[in-house]
Amino acid sequence: MSKRKVKKTMAIIFSCVGALLIITFVSLFIISGIFKQPKYLEPWQKNYSQKFDDPRIRLAAHGLLSANGHNMQPWKIRLDKKNPMVFYLYADSERLTSEVDPFARQMMATQGTFLEYVNIAGDELGYQTAIELFPEGDYNEQSLSESMKTKPVARITLTKTNPKSSPLYDFMFLPDTNRAAYQPTKLTSEQIDQLENINVDAGLSIQIFQDKENMNKLNGYAIQGANIEAGVSRVMKESEIIFRANEYQKNKYRYGFSVEGQGTSGIMRHLMQGLVTLFPSMNSGKAASDMFIQSTRTSVDNTPAYALIIAKGNDRSSQVKSGMIYSKLILTAHRLGFVMQPLSQVLEEYPEMKEPYSSIHSDYASDGGTIQMLVRLGEPIKEVPQSMRRDVMDLIVMD
Protein backbone atom coordinates (compact mmCIF):
# COMPACT_ATOMS: atom_id res chain seq x y z
CA MET A 1 0.00 0.00 0.00
CA SER A 2 1.36 3.38 -0.96
CA LYS A 3 2.18 6.04 1.65
CA ARG A 4 -0.61 8.19 0.28
CA LYS A 5 -3.16 5.41 0.77
CA VAL A 6 -1.83 4.74 4.28
CA LYS A 7 -2.20 8.39 5.22
CA LYS A 8 -5.69 8.47 3.75
CA THR A 9 -6.67 5.32 5.65
CA MET A 10 -5.29 6.72 8.92
CA ALA A 11 -7.12 9.98 8.36
CA ILE A 12 -10.38 8.07 7.90
CA ILE A 13 -9.73 6.04 11.06
CA PHE A 14 -8.94 9.14 13.14
CA SER A 15 -12.00 10.85 11.71
CA CYS A 16 -14.20 7.89 12.67
CA VAL A 17 -12.68 7.70 16.15
CA GLY A 18 -13.20 11.44 16.60
CA ALA A 19 -16.80 11.19 15.45
CA LEU A 20 -17.37 8.24 17.78
CA LEU A 21 -15.94 10.18 20.73
CA ILE A 22 -18.14 13.16 19.95
CA ILE A 23 -21.21 10.92 19.71
CA THR A 24 -20.23 9.26 23.02
CA PHE A 25 -19.80 12.57 24.83
CA VAL A 26 -23.05 13.98 23.43
CA SER A 27 -24.87 10.80 24.43
CA LEU A 28 -23.53 11.02 27.99
CA PHE A 29 -24.65 14.65 28.24
CA ILE A 30 -28.14 13.76 27.02
CA ILE A 31 -28.39 10.79 29.38
CA SER A 32 -27.25 13.07 32.20
CA GLY A 33 -30.08 15.48 31.43
CA ILE A 34 -27.90 18.49 30.65
CA PHE A 35 -30.81 20.31 29.02
CA LYS A 36 -33.22 19.76 31.92
CA GLN A 37 -34.08 22.76 34.06
CA PRO A 38 -32.92 21.96 37.64
CA LYS A 39 -36.20 22.52 39.48
CA TYR A 40 -34.60 20.96 42.56
CA LEU A 41 -32.52 24.13 42.98
CA GLU A 42 -35.42 26.61 42.91
CA PRO A 43 -35.79 26.77 46.73
CA TRP A 44 -32.26 28.21 46.95
CA GLN A 45 -33.34 31.39 45.17
CA LYS A 46 -33.77 34.25 47.63
CA ASN A 47 -37.12 35.21 46.14
CA TYR A 48 -38.48 31.65 46.29
CA SER A 49 -40.36 32.19 49.57
CA GLN A 50 -41.97 35.35 48.22
CA LYS A 51 -44.23 33.23 46.02
CA PHE A 52 -46.27 32.38 49.11
CA ASP A 53 -48.60 34.73 50.96
CA ASP A 54 -48.84 32.68 54.14
CA PRO A 55 -45.94 33.70 56.43
CA ARG A 56 -45.79 30.19 57.86
CA ILE A 57 -45.06 28.72 54.43
CA ARG A 58 -42.56 31.49 53.73
CA LEU A 59 -40.66 30.61 56.88
CA ALA A 60 -40.87 26.88 56.16
CA ALA A 61 -39.33 27.62 52.75
CA HIS A 62 -36.29 28.93 54.60
CA GLY A 63 -36.18 25.98 56.99
CA LEU A 64 -36.08 23.71 53.95
CA LEU A 65 -32.54 24.94 53.18
CA SER A 66 -31.06 23.71 56.45
CA ALA A 67 -28.61 20.85 56.90
CA ASN A 68 -30.22 17.43 57.25
CA GLY A 69 -29.13 13.84 57.54
CA HIS A 70 -28.66 12.02 54.20
CA ASN A 71 -30.41 15.00 52.58
CA MET A 72 -33.69 13.23 53.34
CA GLN A 73 -35.40 16.52 54.31
CA PRO A 74 -37.63 14.65 56.79
CA TRP A 75 -39.98 17.47 57.71
CA LYS A 76 -43.74 17.82 57.66
CA ILE A 77 -45.64 21.02 58.36
CA ARG A 78 -49.21 21.22 59.62
CA LEU A 79 -50.80 24.66 59.47
CA ASP A 80 -53.14 25.48 62.35
CA LYS A 81 -56.61 25.94 60.87
CA LYS A 82 -57.85 28.22 63.64
CA ASN A 83 -54.83 30.45 64.12
CA PRO A 84 -53.09 31.74 60.96
CA MET A 85 -49.97 32.53 63.00
CA VAL A 86 -49.37 29.01 64.29
CA PHE A 87 -47.89 25.95 62.62
CA TYR A 88 -46.47 22.61 63.71
CA LEU A 89 -43.31 20.76 62.70
CA TYR A 90 -43.43 16.97 62.54
CA ALA A 91 -40.65 14.48 61.87
CA ASP A 92 -41.51 12.57 58.70
CA SER A 93 -41.23 8.95 59.84
CA GLU A 94 -41.39 7.72 56.25
CA ARG A 95 -37.97 9.32 55.75
CA LEU A 96 -36.18 7.57 58.59
CA THR A 97 -32.78 6.09 57.73
CA SER A 98 -33.08 3.27 60.21
CA GLU A 99 -29.87 1.43 59.36
CA VAL A 100 -27.50 4.34 59.90
CA ASP A 101 -29.67 6.10 62.50
CA PRO A 102 -31.48 3.31 64.38
CA PHE A 103 -32.54 5.48 67.33
CA ALA A 104 -33.50 8.50 65.18
CA ARG A 105 -31.03 10.78 66.96
CA GLN A 106 -29.84 12.33 63.71
CA MET A 107 -33.47 12.69 62.66
CA MET A 108 -34.13 14.81 65.74
CA ALA A 109 -31.07 16.99 65.16
CA THR A 110 -32.39 17.54 61.64
CA GLN A 111 -35.61 18.91 63.13
CA GLY A 112 -33.51 21.39 65.08
CA THR A 113 -31.57 22.63 62.04
CA PHE A 114 -34.91 23.44 60.40
CA LEU A 115 -36.23 25.29 63.44
CA GLU A 116 -33.18 27.52 63.73
CA TYR A 117 -33.40 28.54 60.06
CA VAL A 118 -37.06 29.39 60.66
CA ASN A 119 -36.02 31.43 63.70
CA ILE A 120 -33.40 33.44 61.80
CA ALA A 121 -35.67 33.99 58.80
CA GLY A 122 -38.40 35.19 61.16
CA ASP A 123 -36.25 38.10 62.31
CA GLU A 124 -35.48 39.07 58.72
CA LEU A 125 -39.11 38.86 57.57
CA GLY A 126 -40.52 40.61 60.62
CA TYR A 127 -41.89 37.75 62.71
CA GLN A 128 -40.98 36.83 66.25
CA THR A 129 -40.97 33.03 66.46
CA ALA A 130 -41.89 31.35 69.74
CA ILE A 131 -40.82 27.70 69.51
CA GLU A 132 -42.26 25.16 71.96
CA LEU A 133 -40.69 21.72 71.72
CA PHE A 134 -42.90 18.63 71.98
CA PRO A 135 -46.04 20.59 72.89
CA GLU A 136 -48.16 17.43 72.99
CA GLY A 137 -45.70 15.35 74.97
CA ASP A 138 -42.83 12.99 74.30
CA TYR A 139 -42.78 10.21 71.75
CA ASN A 140 -43.73 6.68 72.61
CA GLU A 141 -40.28 5.18 72.06
CA GLN A 142 -41.69 1.65 71.76
CA SER A 143 -43.75 2.78 68.77
CA LEU A 144 -41.55 5.58 67.50
CA SER A 145 -42.55 5.69 63.84
CA GLU A 146 -46.27 5.86 64.65
CA SER A 147 -45.66 8.35 67.44
CA MET A 148 -43.88 10.70 65.04
CA LYS A 149 -47.02 10.82 62.93
CA THR A 150 -49.21 12.05 65.76
CA LYS A 151 -46.94 14.13 68.02
CA PRO A 152 -45.29 17.29 66.72
CA VAL A 153 -41.66 18.13 67.36
CA ALA A 154 -42.54 21.79 67.79
CA ARG A 155 -45.30 24.35 67.76
CA ILE A 156 -44.19 27.63 66.20
CA THR A 157 -46.20 30.74 67.05
CA LEU A 158 -45.57 33.90 65.07
CA THR A 159 -45.97 37.48 66.25
CA LYS A 160 -45.74 40.27 63.69
CA THR A 161 -42.97 42.70 64.49
CA ASN A 162 -40.55 45.03 62.75
CA PRO A 163 -38.06 43.28 60.49
CA LYS A 164 -34.51 43.32 61.78
CA SER A 165 -31.51 42.36 59.74
CA SER A 166 -29.82 39.19 60.90
CA PRO A 167 -26.06 38.91 60.32
CA LEU A 168 -26.59 35.22 59.52
CA TYR A 169 -29.53 35.46 57.11
CA ASP A 170 -27.65 35.77 53.81
CA PHE A 171 -25.51 32.75 54.63
CA MET A 172 -28.57 30.50 54.71
CA PHE A 173 -28.44 30.41 50.92
CA LEU A 174 -24.98 28.85 50.81
CA PRO A 175 -24.48 25.06 50.77
CA ASP A 176 -24.33 23.80 54.35
CA THR A 177 -21.70 21.12 53.59
CA ASN A 178 -18.38 21.35 51.76
CA ARG A 179 -16.66 17.98 51.25
CA ALA A 180 -13.68 19.40 49.34
CA ALA A 181 -10.18 19.97 50.69
CA TYR A 182 -9.68 22.91 53.08
CA GLN A 183 -6.84 25.37 53.45
CA PRO A 184 -4.29 24.38 56.12
CA THR A 185 -4.74 27.75 57.89
CA LYS A 186 -5.56 27.44 61.58
CA LEU A 187 -8.30 29.43 63.29
CA THR A 188 -7.34 32.42 65.40
CA SER A 189 -8.17 32.45 69.10
CA GLU A 190 -10.75 35.16 68.41
CA GLN A 191 -12.45 33.03 65.76
CA ILE A 192 -12.51 30.05 68.09
CA ASP A 193 -14.09 32.19 70.81
CA GLN A 194 -16.79 33.38 68.42
CA LEU A 195 -17.67 29.82 67.47
CA GLU A 196 -17.45 28.26 70.92
CA ASN A 197 -19.42 31.08 72.52
CA ILE A 198 -22.40 30.97 70.18
CA ASN A 199 -25.51 31.49 72.26
CA VAL A 200 -25.95 27.87 73.29
CA ASP A 201 -28.39 26.11 75.58
CA ALA A 202 -27.13 25.47 79.11
CA GLY A 203 -27.03 21.74 78.40
CA LEU A 204 -24.95 22.06 75.21
CA SER A 205 -21.40 23.05 74.39
CA ILE A 206 -19.28 23.60 71.29
CA GLN A 207 -15.60 22.64 71.43
CA ILE A 208 -13.03 23.44 68.73
CA PHE A 209 -9.83 21.40 68.40
CA GLN A 210 -6.85 22.14 66.17
CA ASP A 211 -3.82 21.04 68.25
CA LYS A 212 -1.76 18.15 66.90
CA GLU A 213 -2.71 15.62 69.57
CA ASN A 214 -6.46 16.06 69.20
CA MET A 215 -6.25 16.37 65.42
CA ASN A 216 -4.48 13.02 65.20
CA LYS A 217 -6.99 11.43 67.53
CA LEU A 218 -10.06 12.82 65.74
CA ASN A 219 -8.59 12.04 62.32
CA GLY A 220 -8.24 8.46 63.51
CA TYR A 221 -11.86 8.31 64.65
CA ALA A 222 -13.06 9.73 61.32
CA ILE A 223 -11.12 7.13 59.33
CA GLN A 224 -12.11 4.30 61.65
CA GLY A 225 -15.78 5.25 61.37
CA ALA A 226 -15.61 5.41 57.57
CA ASN A 227 -13.86 2.05 57.33
CA ILE A 228 -16.47 0.39 59.52
CA GLU A 229 -19.40 1.97 57.71
CA ALA A 230 -17.99 1.07 54.30
CA GLY A 231 -17.93 -2.56 55.40
CA VAL A 232 -21.56 -2.70 56.56
CA SER A 233 -23.47 -3.57 53.42
CA ARG A 234 -26.95 -2.76 54.73
CA VAL A 235 -25.85 0.77 55.69
CA MET A 236 -24.17 1.37 52.34
CA LYS A 237 -27.24 -0.02 50.58
CA GLU A 238 -29.41 2.51 52.39
CA SER A 239 -27.32 5.31 50.87
CA GLU A 240 -27.24 3.65 47.46
CA ILE A 241 -31.04 3.54 47.30
CA ILE A 242 -31.31 7.32 47.61
CA PHE A 243 -28.56 8.11 45.09
CA ARG A 244 -29.87 10.19 42.16
CA ALA A 245 -27.84 9.47 39.06
CA ASN A 246 -29.01 12.22 36.69
CA GLU A 247 -31.04 15.40 36.28
CA TYR A 248 -34.23 13.49 35.56
CA GLN A 249 -34.02 11.63 38.87
CA LYS A 250 -32.98 14.75 40.78
CA ASN A 251 -36.02 16.64 39.48
CA LYS A 252 -38.28 13.69 40.29
CA TYR A 253 -37.15 13.03 43.86
CA ARG A 254 -35.43 16.27 44.95
CA TYR A 255 -33.80 14.62 47.97
CA GLY A 256 -30.97 12.17 48.59
CA PHE A 257 -27.42 12.05 47.23
CA SER A 258 -25.92 12.94 43.85
CA VAL A 259 -22.47 13.28 42.28
CA GLU A 260 -22.27 16.92 43.41
CA GLY A 261 -21.88 15.61 46.94
CA GLN A 262 -18.74 13.83 45.81
CA GLY A 263 -17.22 17.13 44.70
CA THR A 264 -17.98 16.78 40.99
CA SER A 265 -19.17 19.89 39.17
CA GLY A 266 -19.28 21.56 35.77
CA ILE A 267 -18.91 19.46 32.62
CA MET A 268 -17.47 16.58 34.64
CA ARG A 269 -20.73 16.38 36.58
CA HIS A 270 -22.68 15.59 33.43
CA LEU A 271 -20.09 13.14 32.16
CA MET A 272 -20.12 11.33 35.49
CA GLN A 273 -23.92 11.36 35.68
CA GLY A 274 -24.13 9.86 32.20
CA LEU A 275 -21.63 7.14 33.11
CA VAL A 276 -23.28 6.29 36.43
CA THR A 277 -26.68 6.12 34.73
CA LEU A 278 -25.31 3.68 32.15
CA PHE A 279 -23.19 1.74 34.63
CA PRO A 280 -24.87 1.87 38.10
CA SER A 281 -22.18 -0.43 39.51
CA MET A 282 -19.82 2.55 39.46
CA ASN A 283 -21.65 3.87 42.52
CA SER A 284 -22.66 0.71 44.34
CA GLY A 285 -21.14 -2.20 46.19
CA LYS A 286 -17.36 -2.24 46.57
CA ALA A 287 -16.92 0.74 44.23
CA ALA A 288 -19.11 2.90 46.47
CA SER A 289 -17.36 1.70 49.62
CA ASP A 290 -13.91 2.38 48.19
CA MET A 291 -14.99 5.82 47.00
CA PHE A 292 -16.41 6.64 50.44
CA ILE A 293 -13.20 5.62 52.22
CA GLN A 294 -11.00 7.54 49.78
CA SER A 295 -13.21 10.62 50.08
CA THR A 296 -12.94 10.49 53.88
CA ARG A 297 -9.15 10.12 53.72
CA THR A 298 -8.94 13.16 51.43
CA SER A 299 -11.13 15.12 53.84
CA VAL A 300 -9.08 14.10 56.87
CA ASP A 301 -5.79 14.92 55.14
CA ASN A 302 -7.04 18.43 54.38
CA THR A 303 -8.66 19.46 57.66
CA PRO A 304 -7.17 22.14 59.95
CA ALA A 305 -9.75 21.89 62.77
CA TYR A 306 -12.65 19.92 64.20
CA ALA A 307 -15.74 21.02 66.10
CA LEU A 308 -17.74 18.91 68.52
CA ILE A 309 -21.26 19.61 69.74
CA ILE A 310 -21.75 17.90 73.10
CA ALA A 311 -24.99 17.60 75.07
CA LYS A 312 -25.23 16.79 78.75
CA GLY A 313 -28.23 14.59 78.02
CA ASN A 314 -29.52 12.60 75.07
CA ASP A 315 -33.26 13.12 75.39
CA ARG A 316 -35.26 14.19 72.35
CA SER A 317 -35.26 17.87 73.28
CA SER A 318 -31.47 17.86 73.67
CA GLN A 319 -31.14 16.25 70.25
CA VAL A 320 -33.36 18.89 68.65
CA LYS A 321 -31.48 21.70 70.40
CA SER A 322 -28.17 20.29 69.18
CA GLY A 323 -29.47 20.68 65.63
CA MET A 324 -30.46 24.28 66.33
CA ILE A 325 -26.94 24.97 67.60
CA TYR A 326 -25.49 23.22 64.56
CA SER A 327 -27.35 25.62 62.26
CA LYS A 328 -25.96 28.57 64.21
CA LEU A 329 -22.49 27.06 64.03
CA ILE A 330 -22.69 26.58 60.25
CA LEU A 331 -23.94 30.10 59.58
CA THR A 332 -21.49 31.74 61.97
CA ALA A 333 -18.67 29.77 60.37
CA HIS A 334 -19.81 30.96 56.93
CA ARG A 335 -19.81 34.55 58.20
CA LEU A 336 -16.19 34.08 59.33
CA GLY A 337 -15.20 32.62 55.96
CA PHE A 338 -15.22 28.94 56.97
CA VAL A 339 -17.07 25.88 55.73
CA MET A 340 -17.92 22.58 57.43
CA GLN A 341 -18.60 18.90 56.83
CA PRO A 342 -19.94 16.34 59.30
CA LEU A 343 -17.72 13.30 59.81
CA SER A 344 -20.05 11.72 62.34
CA GLN A 345 -19.95 8.06 61.29
CA VAL A 346 -18.16 7.21 64.54
CA LEU A 347 -21.16 8.67 66.43
CA GLU A 348 -23.69 6.38 64.79
CA GLU A 349 -25.36 3.80 66.96
CA TYR A 350 -25.64 0.55 65.02
CA PRO A 351 -23.87 -2.49 66.54
CA GLU A 352 -20.75 -2.48 64.35
CA MET A 353 -19.88 1.05 65.52
CA LYS A 354 -20.16 0.28 69.24
CA GLU A 355 -16.43 0.15 70.04
CA PRO A 356 -15.30 3.46 68.47
CA TYR A 357 -18.53 5.12 69.65
CA SER A 358 -17.67 4.20 73.25
CA SER A 359 -14.04 5.19 72.78
CA ILE A 360 -14.67 8.69 71.42
CA HIS A 361 -17.15 9.32 74.22
CA SER A 362 -14.59 8.18 76.76
CA ASP A 363 -12.11 10.66 75.27
CA TYR A 364 -14.38 13.68 74.78
CA ALA A 365 -17.51 13.19 76.91
CA SER A 366 -16.28 11.25 79.90
CA ASP A 367 -18.76 13.01 82.21
CA GLY A 368 -21.63 11.10 80.66
CA GLY A 369 -22.60 13.56 77.95
CA THR A 370 -23.43 12.68 74.34
CA ILE A 371 -21.45 13.90 71.36
CA GLN A 372 -24.15 14.95 68.93
CA MET A 373 -21.93 16.19 66.07
CA LEU A 374 -18.34 15.82 64.88
CA VAL A 375 -17.53 18.16 62.00
CA ARG A 376 -14.42 19.25 60.14
CA LEU A 377 -13.92 22.99 59.82
CA GLY A 378 -11.71 25.26 57.73
CA GLU A 379 -11.31 27.79 54.94
CA PRO A 380 -12.54 26.42 51.60
CA ILE A 381 -10.27 25.87 48.64
CA LYS A 382 -13.21 25.80 46.25
CA GLU A 383 -16.94 26.43 46.25
CA VAL A 384 -19.32 23.51 46.01
CA PRO A 385 -22.77 23.34 44.37
CA GLN A 386 -26.05 23.47 46.24
CA SER A 387 -27.83 20.18 46.88
CA MET A 388 -31.35 19.11 45.96
CA ARG A 389 -34.30 20.58 47.80
CA ARG A 390 -37.98 19.64 47.72
CA ASP A 391 -40.77 22.06 46.92
CA VAL A 392 -41.93 23.52 50.23
CA MET A 393 -45.54 22.66 49.40
CA ASP A 394 -44.55 18.98 49.47
CA LEU A 395 -43.90 19.43 53.19
CA ILE A 396 -47.38 20.79 53.94
CA VAL A 397 -49.79 18.25 55.39
CA MET A 398 -53.27 18.73 53.96
CA ASP A 399 -56.00 17.39 56.25
Side-chain angles (χ1 to χ4, degrees), residues 136 138 168 181 210 311 326 336:
E136 296 179 13
D138 295 332
L168 302 180
Q210 58 180 2
Y326 183 50
L336 295 175

Side-chain angles (χ1 to χ4, degrees), residues 304-338:
Y306 284 101
L308 296 178
I309 296 177
I310 303 175
K312 288 184 178 179
N314 197 30
D315 58 279
R316 295 304 185 185
S317 291
S318 294
Q319 293 167 0
V320 174
K321 290 176 182 178
S322 73
M324 297 178 75
I325 294 304
Y326 183 50
S327 279
K328 283 186 180 180
L329 181 61
I330 290 172
L331 297 176
T332 304
H334 282 330
R335 185 169 60 84
L336 295 175
F338 299 116

Side-chain angles (χ1 to χ4, degrees), residues 43-57:
W44 289 102
Q45 299 170 7
K46 274 194 173 182
N47 62 356
Y48 173 74
S49 68
Q50 297 173 13
K51 298 192 302 182
F52 309 101
D53 294 328
D54 193 317
R56 299 170 295 183
I57 298 178

